[in-house]
Amino acid sequence: MTEGSYIGGFTDHHVHLQLADHERLRGGLLGRVLDLGSAPATIASIAADPPGVAVSFAGAFLTPVGGYPSDRSWAPEGSFREIADTDAAEAAVVEMKAAGASVIKVASNSTAGPVFGDDLLQTIVRIADRHGLPVVAHAEGPGEAQRMPRLGVRALAHTPFTERLSNAEVSAQAGRIAWISTLAIHEGEARAIALDNLRRFHAHGGTVRYGTDLGNGDQPVGLNPAEVEALREAGVRGAALIRALVPVAATTERRFLLPARDADPFGLEPVPHPHGAARPHGRPHAYGPTRSEHLTSPEGAR
C-alpha cells in the first residue's frame, strides 16, 4: 500500500481570476487560490460560487493617485482604488473587508508611476491590521522590496526581480516577510535575478509560497509545471516544495493521496473519501490555511 498524506489539492497564492478562464480550475490539482487584484464585487461573486476550489481574495489594488496599475489596459474597471490620504485608505480597507477580503493588496511599483511614501504605507498597514487583514505588496523598482518588511508588509506578491538583493538584505527579509514565487512569468535578466534572490532567501530559511500570477500572459490554468520547475531550480525541492504549495485539507469532494516516497506534486493520486471522514476546508487564509488546520500560520510575522 502506498504511504503518504491525504490532501485536497494545493494552493496558488497569486492569481487574478477576473483575467483568466477560472472555470478550467475544476478537476485540477489546486484546492485553493488567493486572488491578488480584481474588482471586489466580481471576485466576491466568484468566491461565493467557486470553480471547484476555495477562493480567497484581496479585492482591488490599493495604489497612489496615478500609480500602477491605474494606467494599464489589462486592469478591469473597479480593480484598483487610488489612495490619496488616510481617509481614503480607511474607506478602501473597510470596503474590501465588507466584500469578503482576507488580505489587502498594495501596489508599490516605482517603474510605472508614483508609490506610497513610508508614512501613508505604514498607515495603510495599521488600518488593515486593525481590521484583521495582512498586507501583501507588489514591490517593483529599486529599493521597493527592501522597504516592505520595515513598513509592516506581511508578504511580497512577487519574488524581487528588479535588482539583486545583498546577502544582508535577503537575510533580514527571511526573518520578517513571506515571498510568493511567480518565477515563471519572467525571462532573461529578470528571471535570473529572481532565481538568485529566491535561492538565497530559501537558504536563509525564508518562507516561500507557490504563486503563478495566473492571468498575467498565457499560462496553464491549474498547477503550473513551469513554476514548479523554477522553484526546484531555486533550490525549493522535496518537502520544501510541498510546504511552498501549502496542501489543503481533504474533503468529501476532493481527496488525493500525496505519496511520501518522492513528494512530487504531480504524483497526486485521486482517491474516494471514506464515509464520515470528511474535514471542512475552513475559510482560506491570505497566504496559507487557517491556523486551525495546523498546516501553517500567517507567514512573515513582524
Side-chain angles (χ1 to χ4, degrees):
M1 179 178 179
T2 302
E3 294 184 354
S5 302
Y6 291 110
I7 68 171
F10 296 115
T11 305
D12 189 331
H13 299 82
H14 189 157
V15 303
H16 298 276
L17 297 187
Q18 200 173 357
L19 301 176
D21 184 2
H22 54 269
E23 287 296 328
R24 292 170 55 198
L25 288 169
R26 297 185 187 278
L29 297 180
L30 294 179
R32 176 192 289 121
V33 297
L34 172 62
D35 189 289
L36 288 181
S38 293
T42 300
I43 191 59
S45 177
I46 294 171
D49 184 21
V53 300
V55 176
S56 57
F57 60 89
F61 291 80
L62 305 193
T63 191
V65 176
Y68 175 88
S70 64
D71 63 345
R72 300 303 164 108
S73 61
W74 54 259
E77 182 178 356
S79 64
F80 58 87
R81 298 289 183 275
E82 294 179 273
I83 307 301
D85 52 31
T86 299
D87 289 343
E90 179 77 41
V93 171
V94 168
E95 178 193 1
M96 298 312 135
K97 183 171 183 177
S102 60
V103 62
I104 294 296
K105 170 76 171 290
V106 299
S108 194
N109 183 352
S110 65
T111 72
V115 298
F116 290 119
D118 286 3
D119 288 346
L120 185 50
L121 184 50
Q122 284 186 310
T123 296
I124 293 170
V125 169
R126 284 196 296 269
I127 292 169
D129 278 349
R130 192 169 71 247
H131 289 279
L133 302 176
V135 173
V136 177
H138 174 128
E140 182 175 354
E144 288 303 308
Q146 292 91 317
R147 71 189 186 109
M148 292 300 116
R150 173 171 55 82
L151 299 176
V153 170
R154 298 288 292 277
L156 297 183
H158 302 277
T159 294
F161 60 92
T162 303
E163 59 188 331
R164 184 183 187 276
L165 275 61
S166 71
N167 286 330
E169 289 168 338
V170 168
S171 178
Q173 293 250 344
R176 301 180 67 183
I177 197 166
W179 288 6
I180 301 171
S181 58
T182 69
L183 299 167
I185 61 172
H186 302 301
E187 297 179 345
E189 183 180 11
R191 179 184 175 89
I193 290 170
L195 282 168
D196 177 64
N197 283 334
L198 191 68
R199 184 177 295 111
R200 291 179 296 121
F201 180 74
H202 174 59
H204 277 90
T207 297
V208 179
R209 290 291 172 248
Y210 167 90
T212 63
D213 202 6
L214 177 65
N216 179 354
D218 184 17
Q219 296 193 58
V221 178
L223 192 62
N224 187 335
E227 190 66 37
V228 170
E229 184 54 37
L231 279 162
R232 286 174 168 148
E233 186 177 349
V236 185
R237 304 185 183 95
L241 176 59
I242 299 304
R243 286 194 297 272
L245 285 156
V246 184
V248 178
T251 68
T252 52
E253 293 80 18
R254 297 178 58 80
R255 190 169 188 251
F256 299 96
L257 177 64
L258 175 64
R261 60 183 181 272
D262 55 9
D264 180 356
F266 291 98
L268 292 188
E269 302 173 11
V271 292
H273 208 300
H275 179 69
R279 297 198 318 177
H281 271 291
R283 183 178 179 181
H285 190 267
Y287 26 84
T290 57
R291 292 180 186 221
S292 62
E293 290 174 16
H294 300 296
L295 297 174
T296 182
S297 59
E299 323 305 342
R302 294 187 293 282

